[in-house]
């Protein structure tokens, strides 16, 4: 069983990642730490409450993380995630309060269970970087860190940079320069191969469950945007990290060193140098059929 903390900025594709981790029998989801990114921190927290309502996992604690990036950068992502970060769907969450501070939770949980905890980071890396900077043992005690981030070829915010790294490049640099031993990186080069195509949209729309229908509704805005950008549907970036932990056959990895540009025109760009025994494992290919099988069998059909 994988003991996991998800660090997220929910966010539509974050929603799929959280549901997958919460529902998988191979994952023990210890808590969710929220960071500002796709939407403001308070929206992200509120959305995480709703996501846990959707899968009846209200007992999973949610922690409040960083409201701004390390150097106060912020960009809008309303055009994909909606003004409320939840595809502009109206809802009332059951829960009203968080369980404490995200950075403290990350540090305490990892240090009390050395070598046992994996963090899945699917938003800007601010919370993870703050934990690394605040506690010297955190990085060494982490079992693994799975990150959605990076653009090997073309970015989705600028020509060079992917959203999570662009939003907090300084945090990304702290992470890649840290002593964390097992970093797995899933970038746009693989996640753009995972559009929620019409076939999958029809499946969600016509499925006889409120959860599936809600997922269909909240993906409408982003789907229209991503189709305008030339994709075959909404790109589900974030859940690949979780799917990999459930079944590593879903992606092919290579050893590499990673560095991040923290200023100038290239800010947020990742420099990925393939290298035997490099510090990170970077995804270079993905199996979309297997990905959607893991995702829907777990979240909708409840088979995993
Ligand atoms: C990443 O940025 C956000 O839009 C998504 O939630 C994902 O984490 C993709 O660049
Ligand atoms: Ca995200």
């Amino acid at each position: 069983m994988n003991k996991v903390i998800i660090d997220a900025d929910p966010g539509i594709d974050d929603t799929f990642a959280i549901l997958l981790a919460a529902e998988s029998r191979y994952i023990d989801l210890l808590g969710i730490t929220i960071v500002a990114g796709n939407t403001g921190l308070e929206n992200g927290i509120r959305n995480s409450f709703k996501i846990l309502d959707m899968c009846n996992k209200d007992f999973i604690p949610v922690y409040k993380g960083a409201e701004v990036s390390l150097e106060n950068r912020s960009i809008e992502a309303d055009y994909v995630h909606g003004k409320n970060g939840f595809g502009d769907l109206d809802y009332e969450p059951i829960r009203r309060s968080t369980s404490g501070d995200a950075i403290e939770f990350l540090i305490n949980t990892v240090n009390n269970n050395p070598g046992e905890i994996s963090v899945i980071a699917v938003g800007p890396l601010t919370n993870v970087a703050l934990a690394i900077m605040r506690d010297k043992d955190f990085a060494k005690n982490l079992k693994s860190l799975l990150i959605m981030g990076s653009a090997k070829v073309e970015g989705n915010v600028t020509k060079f940079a992917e959203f999570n790294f662009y939003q907090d490049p300084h945090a990304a640099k702290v992470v890649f320069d840290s002593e964390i031993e097992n970093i797995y990186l899933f970038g746009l080069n693989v996640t753009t191969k995972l559009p929620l195509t019409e076939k999958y949209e029809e499946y969600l729309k016509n499925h006889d469950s409120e959860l599936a229908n809600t997922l269909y509704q909240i993906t409408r805005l982003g789907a229209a945007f991503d189709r305008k950008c030339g994709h075959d549907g909404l790109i589900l970036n974030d859940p690949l990290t979780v799917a990999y932990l459930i079944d590593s056959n879903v992606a092919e990895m290579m050893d590499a060193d990673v560095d991040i540009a923290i200023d100038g025109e290239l800010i947020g760009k990742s420099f990925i140098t393939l290298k035997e025994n490099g510090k990170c494992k970077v995804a270079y290919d993905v199996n979309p059929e297997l990905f959607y099988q893991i995702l829907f069998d777990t979240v909708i059909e409840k088979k995993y």
Side-chain angles (χ1 to χ4, degrees):
M1 179 72 94
N2 295 291
K3 290 185 185 170
V4 166
I5 298 171
I6 286 218
D7 186 70
D9 57 337
I12 306 302
D13 54 334
D14 304 72
T15 299
F16 285 82
I18 292 170
L19 287 171
L20 184 54
E23 291 282 28
S24 173
R25 73 165 76 126
Y26 302 110
I27 290 179
D28 180 9
L29 183 56
L30 304 177
I32 304 172
T33 52
I34 306 294
V35 63
N38 288 326
T39 190
L41 188 65
E42 291 306 327
N43 277 347
I45 289 169
R46 194 168 178 273
N47 294 341
S48 71
F49 294 160
K50 168 66 180 169
I51 297 162
L52 292 172
D53 290 348
M54 281 161 70
C55 60
N56 298 314
K57 295 270 159 61
D58 245 325
F59 54 86
I60 296 176
V62 173
Y63 297 87
K64 184 172 183 165
E67 201 149 14
V68 289
S69 64
L70 294 187
E71 303 270 335
N72 259 310
R73 291 165 62 75
S74 102
I75 47 173
E76 292 280 314
D78 292 11
Y79 50 92
V80 176
H81 300 273
K83 283 194 172 43
N84 67 352
F86 209 64
D88 287 337
L89 185 83
D90 266 344
Y91 68 86
E92 260 319 304
I94 298 169
R95 200 184 319 179
R96 298 274 168 221
S97 57
T98 50
S99 301
D101 178 71
I103 318 304
E104 246 170 61
F105 173 71
L106 281 163
I107 292 172
N108 293 340
T109 312
V110 168
N111 287 351
N112 291 337
N113 303 275
E116 283 186 35
I117 310 292
S118 296
V119 171
I120 298 182
V122 293
L125 287 164
T126 323
N127 288 344
V128 181
L130 286 168
I132 293 169
M133 293 189 295
R134 202 176 290 173
D135 186 281
K136 62 173 179 27
D137 295 323
F138 174 80
K140 281 182 255 167
N141 284 337
L142 200 57
K143 178 181 180 190
S144 61
L145 176 64
L146 295 95
I147 300 170
M148 191 286 133
S150 84
K152 200 156 171 280
V153 189
E154 207 180 322
N156 58 357
V157 182
T158 68
K159 216 160 53 170
F160 311 104
E162 175 279 333
F163 179 89
N164 290 335
F165 287 5
Y166 185 80
Q167 174 88 348
D168 201 340
H170 304 89
K173 185 151 178 64
V174 169
V175 168
F176 289 107
D177 288 351
S178 75
E179 290 180 84
I180 297 173
E181 260 188 32
N182 299 305
I183 299 182
Y184 296 81
L185 184 61
F186 301 85
L188 297 176
N189 58 312
V190 283
T191 62
T192 49
K193 294 180 186 169
L194 302 173
L196 185 79
T197 57
E198 212 178 320
K199 170 175 97 175
Y200 297 125
E201 289 179 327
E202 287 300 304
Y203 164 78
L204 291 175
K205 188 176 165 188
N206 298 323
H207 196 276
D208 184 22
S209 76
E210 206 185 314
L211 175 73
N213 305 154
T214 303
L215 290 174
Y216 175 75
Q217 285 174 49
I218 65 171
T219 49
R220 294 310 80 218
L221 199 64
F225 179 80
D226 277 354
R227 284 199 164 95
K228 253 195 241 153
C229 298
H231 298 294
D232 272 349
L234 176 69
I235 301 299
L236 291 187
N237 297 287
D238 290 343
L240 179 59
T241 47
V242 187
Y244 183 79
L245 209 54
I246 293 170
D247 183 348
S248 61
N249 291 311
V250 76
E252 304 287 335
M253 311 298 283
M254 274 179 136
D255 287 358
D257 281 341
V258 179
D259 198 11
I260 309 292
I262 53 167
D263 49 29
E265 194 196 6
L266 300 184
I267 191 160
K269 181 177 167 60
S270 40
F271 300 97
I272 297 174
T273 314
L274 297 180
K275 186 170 148 195
E276 219 176 299
N277 298 321
K279 199 172 160 181
C280 306
K281 300 219 177 305
V282 177
Y284 70 91
D285 205 3
V286 68
N287 179 337
E289 290 284 315
L290 180 57
F291 168 78
Y292 276 101
Q293 187 189 332
I294 296 168
L295 183 64
F296 291 151
D297 277 0
T298 309
V299 171
I300 313 287
E301 307 295 338
K302 323 277 186 204
K303 283 191 199 160
Y304 274 93

PDB file of all heavy atoms in Angstrom, residues 3 5-6 9-10 22 28 108 142 209 216 262 266 280 287 296-297 304:
ATOM      1  N   LYS A   3       1.560   4.958   0.883  1.00  0.00           N
ATOM      2  CA  LYS A   3       1.073   6.048   1.734  1.00  0.00           C
ATOM      3  C   LYS A   3       1.351   7.372   1.022  1.00  0.00           C
ATOM      4  O   LYS A   3       2.515   7.682   0.733  1.00  0.00           O
ATOM      5  CB  LYS A   3       1.795   6.032   3.077  1.00  0.00           C
ATOM      6  CG  LYS A   3       1.407   4.871   3.942  1.00  0.00           C
ATOM      7  CD  LYS A   3       2.066   4.999   5.289  1.00  0.00           C
ATOM      8  CE  LYS A   3       1.781   3.774   6.130  1.00  0.00           C
ATOM      9  NZ  LYS A   3       2.566   3.741   7.345  1.00  0.00           N
ATOM     10  N   ILE A   5       0.496  11.667   0.159  1.00  0.00           N
ATOM     11  CA  ILE A   5      -0.101  12.992   0.369  1.00  0.00           C
ATOM     12  C   ILE A   5      -0.200  13.619  -1.022  1.00  0.00           C
ATOM     13  O   ILE A   5       0.771  13.582  -1.786  1.00  0.00           O
ATOM     14  CB  ILE A   5       0.785  13.887   1.255  1.00  0.00           C
ATOM     15  CG1 ILE A   5       0.958  13.266   2.645  1.00  0.00           C
ATOM     16  CG2 ILE A   5       0.193  15.296   1.361  1.00  0.00           C
ATOM     17  CD1 ILE A   5       2.003  13.974   3.510  1.00  0.00           C
ATOM     18  N   ILE A   6      -1.361  14.178  -1.335  1.00  0.00           N
ATOM     19  CA  ILE A   6      -1.488  14.901  -2.617  1.00  0.00           C
ATOM     20  C   ILE A   6      -1.400  16.385  -2.338  1.00  0.00           C
ATOM     21  O   ILE A   6      -2.081  16.907  -1.448  1.00  0.00           O
ATOM     22  CB  ILE A   6      -2.839  14.616  -3.300  1.00  0.00           C
ATOM     23  CG1 ILE A   6      -2.841  13.211  -3.880  1.00  0.00           C
ATOM     24  CG2 ILE A   6      -3.107  15.630  -4.386  1.00  0.00           C
ATOM     25  CD1 ILE A   6      -3.555  13.093  -5.202  1.00  0.00           C
ATOM     26  N   ASP A   9      -3.793  22.057  -6.570  1.00  0.00           N
ATOM     27  CA  ASP A   9      -4.437  23.368  -6.709  1.00  0.00           C
ATOM     28  C   ASP A   9      -5.767  23.188  -7.452  1.00  0.00           C
ATOM     29  O   ASP A   9      -5.935  23.694  -8.547  1.00  0.00           O
ATOM     30  CB  ASP A   9      -3.513  24.349  -7.469  1.00  0.00           C
ATOM     31  CG  ASP A   9      -3.098  23.843  -8.845  1.00  0.00           C
ATOM     32  OD1 ASP A   9      -3.121  22.612  -9.073  1.00  0.00           O
ATOM     33  OD2 ASP A   9      -2.765  24.678  -9.704  1.00  0.00           O
ATOM     34  N   PRO A  10      -6.721  22.469  -6.861  1.00  0.00           N
ATOM     35  CA  PRO A  10      -7.904  22.054  -7.617  1.00  0.00           C
ATOM     36  C   PRO A  10      -8.831  23.184  -8.012  1.00  0.00           C
ATOM     37  O   PRO A  10      -9.288  23.925  -7.178  1.00  0.00           O
ATOM     38  CB  PRO A  10      -8.635  21.110  -6.628  1.00  0.00           C
ATOM     39  CG  PRO A  10      -8.042  21.328  -5.294  1.00  0.00           C
ATOM     40  CD  PRO A  10      -6.729  22.024  -5.471  1.00  0.00           C
ATOM     41  N   ALA A  22      -7.989   8.965  -3.946  1.00  0.00           N
ATOM     42  CA  ALA A  22      -8.914   8.691  -2.844  1.00  0.00           C
ATOM     43  C   ALA A  22      -9.612   7.345  -3.031  1.00  0.00           C
ATOM     44  O   ALA A  22      -9.914   6.648  -2.071  1.00  0.00           O
ATOM     45  CB  ALA A  22      -9.958   9.811  -2.748  1.00  0.00           C
ATOM     46  N   ASP A  28      -3.138   4.730   0.119  1.00  0.00           N
ATOM     47  CA  ASP A  28      -3.698   5.200   1.376  1.00  0.00           C
ATOM     48  C   ASP A  28      -3.492   6.716   1.387  1.00  0.00           C
ATOM     49  O   ASP A  28      -2.370   7.190   1.596  1.00  0.00           O
ATOM     50  CB  ASP A  28      -2.933   4.510   2.525  1.00  0.00           C
ATOM     51  CG  ASP A  28      -3.441   4.938   3.889  1.00  0.00           C
ATOM     52  OD1 ASP A  28      -4.476   5.616   3.944  1.00  0.00           O
ATOM     53  OD2 ASP A  28      -2.783   4.577   4.889  1.00  0.00           O
ATOM     54  N   ASN A 108       5.737  16.944   9.322  1.00  0.00           N
ATOM     55  CA  ASN A 108       5.518  15.988  10.414  1.00  0.00           C
ATOM     56  C   ASN A 108       5.226  14.586   9.896  1.00  0.00           C
ATOM     57  O   ASN A 108       5.771  13.598  10.409  1.00  0.00           O
ATOM     58  CB  ASN A 108       4.369  16.441  11.322  1.00  0.00           C
ATOM     59  CG  ASN A 108       4.754  17.703  12.079  1.00  0.00           C
ATOM     60  OD1 ASN A 108       5.942  18.012  12.221  1.00  0.00           O
ATOM     61  ND2 ASN A 108       3.765  18.446  12.540  1.00  0.00           N
ATOM     62  N   LEU A 142      11.662  11.680   2.628  1.00  0.00           N
ATOM     63  CA  LEU A 142      10.586  11.421   1.664  1.00  0.00           C
ATOM     64  C   LEU A 142      10.904  10.155   0.869  1.00  0.00           C
ATOM     65  O   LEU A 142      12.029   9.973   0.412  1.00  0.00           O
ATOM     66  CB  LEU A 142      10.524  12.631   0.715  1.00  0.00           C
ATOM     67  CG  LEU A 142       9.268  12.880  -0.089  1.00  0.00           C
ATOM     68  CD1 LEU A 142       8.044  13.010   0.814  1.00  0.00           C
ATOM     69  CD2 LEU A 142       9.443  14.166  -0.902  1.00  0.00           C
ATOM     70  N   SER A 209     -24.374   7.762 -13.027  1.00  0.00           N
ATOM     71  CA  SER A 209     -23.927   8.156 -11.688  1.00  0.00           C
ATOM     72  C   SER A 209     -23.721   9.662 -11.648  1.00  0.00           C
ATOM     73  O   SER A 209     -23.285  10.277 -12.629  1.00  0.00           O
ATOM     74  CB  SER A 209     -22.620   7.441 -11.302  1.00  0.00           C
ATOM     75  OG  SER A 209     -21.530   8.018 -11.973  1.00  0.00           O
ATOM     76  N   TYR A 216     -18.366  15.265 -16.137  1.00  0.00           N
ATOM     77  CA  TYR A 216     -18.654  15.733 -17.499  1.00  0.00           C
ATOM     78  C   TYR A 216     -18.900  17.241 -17.491  1.00  0.00           C
ATOM     79  O   TYR A 216     -18.324  17.978 -18.281  1.00  0.00           O
ATOM     80  CB  TYR A 216     -19.869  14.989 -18.076  1.00  0.00           C
ATOM     81  CG  TYR A 216     -20.263  15.519 -19.428  1.00  0.00           C
ATOM     82  CD1 TYR A 216     -19.511  15.214 -20.551  1.00  0.00           C
ATOM     83  CD2 TYR A 216     -21.358  16.376 -19.577  1.00  0.00           C
ATOM     84  CE1 TYR A 216     -19.833  15.742 -21.801  1.00  0.00           C
ATOM     85  CE2 TYR A 216     -21.694  16.899 -20.811  1.00  0.00           C
ATOM     86  CZ  TYR A 216     -20.921  16.574 -21.923  1.00  0.00           C
ATOM     87  OH  TYR A 216     -21.242  17.114 -23.142  1.00  0.00           O
ATOM     88  N   ILE A 262      14.922  30.535 -13.843  1.00  0.00           N
ATOM     89  CA  ILE A 262      14.159  31.323 -12.859  1.00  0.00           C
ATOM     90  C   ILE A 262      14.089  32.811 -13.211  1.00  0.00           C
ATOM     91  O   ILE A 262      13.580  33.601 -12.431  1.00  0.00           O
ATOM     92  CB  ILE A 262      14.717  31.144 -11.422  1.00  0.00           C
ATOM     93  CG1 ILE A 262      16.217  31.414 -11.362  1.00  0.00           C
ATOM     94  CG2 ILE A 262      14.405  29.774 -10.876  1.00  0.00           C
ATOM     95  CD1 ILE A 262      16.730  31.560  -9.943  1.00  0.00           C
ATOM     96  N   LEU A 266      12.965  32.902 -20.618  1.00  0.00           N
ATOM     97  CA  LEU A 266      12.752  31.454 -20.480  1.00  0.00           C
ATOM     98  C   LEU A 266      12.151  31.058 -19.137  1.00  0.00           C
ATOM     99  O   LEU A 266      11.980  29.865 -18.864  1.00  0.00           O
ATOM    100  CB  LEU A 266      14.089  30.720 -20.646  1.00  0.00           C
ATOM    101  CG  LEU A 266      14.827  30.882 -21.968  1.00  0.00           C
ATOM    102  CD1 LEU A 266      16.078  30.014 -21.983  1.00  0.00           C
ATOM    103  CD2 LEU A 266      13.929  30.522 -23.142  1.00  0.00           C
ATOM    104  N   CYS A 280      16.599  12.351 -11.622  1.00  0.00           N
ATOM    105  CA  CYS A 280      15.144  12.165 -11.720  1.00  0.00           C
ATOM    106  C   CYS A 280      14.806  11.090 -12.737  1.00  0.00           C
ATOM    107  O   CYS A 280      15.620  10.761 -13.592  1.00  0.00           O
ATOM    108  CB  CYS A 280      14.489  13.448 -12.228  1.00  0.00           C
ATOM    109  SG  CYS A 280      14.904  14.878 -11.291  1.00  0.00           S
ATOM    110  N   ASN A 287       0.789   5.262 -22.081  1.00  0.00           N
ATOM    111  CA  ASN A 287      -0.199   4.392 -22.726  1.00  0.00           C
ATOM    112  C   ASN A 287      -1.598   4.940 -22.408  1.00  0.00           C
ATOM    113  O   ASN A 287      -2.136   4.693 -21.325  1.00  0.00           O
ATOM    114  CB  ASN A 287      -0.014   2.973 -22.161  1.00  0.00           C
ATOM    115  CG  ASN A 287      -1.001   1.995 -22.748  1.00  0.00           C
ATOM    116  OD1 ASN A 287      -2.066   2.366 -23.232  1.00  0.00           O
ATOM    117  ND2 ASN A 287      -0.651   0.716 -22.690  1.00  0.00           N
ATOM    118  N   PHE A 296     -10.915   5.289 -15.011  1.00  0.00           N
ATOM    119  CA  PHE A 296     -12.367   5.063 -14.936  1.00  0.00           C
ATOM    120  C   PHE A 296     -12.727   3.789 -14.164  1.00  0.00           C
ATOM    121  O   PHE A 296     -13.739   3.756 -13.475  1.00  0.00           O
ATOM    122  CB  PHE A 296     -12.988   5.074 -16.338  1.00  0.00           C
ATOM    123  CG  PHE A 296     -12.961   6.446 -16.974  1.00  0.00           C
ATOM    124  CD1 PHE A 296     -12.894   6.608 -18.349  1.00  0.00           C
ATOM    125  CD2 PHE A 296     -13.010   7.593 -16.182  1.00  0.00           C
ATOM    126  CE1 PHE A 296     -12.875   7.879 -18.921  1.00  0.00           C
ATOM    127  CE2 PHE A 296     -12.986   8.865 -16.756  1.00  0.00           C
ATOM    128  CZ  PHE A 296     -12.919   9.004 -18.127  1.00  0.00           C
ATOM    129  N   ASP A 297     -11.891   2.751 -14.287  1.00  0.00           N
ATOM    130  CA  ASP A 297     -12.175   1.541 -13.502  1.00  0.00           C
ATOM    131  C   ASP A 297     -12.103   1.852 -12.012  1.00  0.00           C
ATOM    132  O   ASP A 297     -12.830   1.270 -11.207  1.00  0.00           O
ATOM    133  CB  ASP A 297     -11.192   0.408 -13.847  1.00  0.00           C
ATOM    134  CG  ASP A 297     -11.639  -0.350 -15.090  1.00  0.00           C
ATOM    135  OD1 ASP A 297     -12.684   0.012 -15.659  1.00  0.00           O
ATOM    136  OD2 ASP A 297     -10.939  -1.299 -15.490  1.00  0.00           O
ATOM    137  N   TYR A 304     -10.879  -0.999  -8.960  1.00  0.00           N
ATOM    138  CA  TYR A 304      -9.520  -1.112  -8.410  1.00  0.00           C
ATOM    139  C   TYR A 304      -9.508  -0.853  -6.917  1.00  0.00           C
ATOM    140  O   TYR A 304      -9.936   0.201  -6.489  1.00  0.00           O
ATOM    141  CB  TYR A 304      -8.578  -0.094  -9.061  1.00  0.00           C
ATOM    142  CG  TYR A 304      -7.949  -0.545 -10.336  1.00  0.00           C
ATOM    143  CD1 TYR A 304      -8.538  -0.244 -11.553  1.00  0.00           C
ATOM    144  CD2 TYR A 304      -6.753  -1.246 -10.337  1.00  0.00           C
ATOM    145  CE1 TYR A 304      -7.951  -0.623 -12.747  1.00  0.00           C
ATOM    146  CE2 TYR A 304      -6.156  -1.631 -11.533  1.00  0.00           C
ATOM    147  CZ  TYR A 304      -6.763  -1.319 -12.731  1.00  0.00           C
ATOM    148  OH  TYR A 304      -6.176  -1.689 -13.911  1.00  0.00           O
TER     149      TYR A 304
END
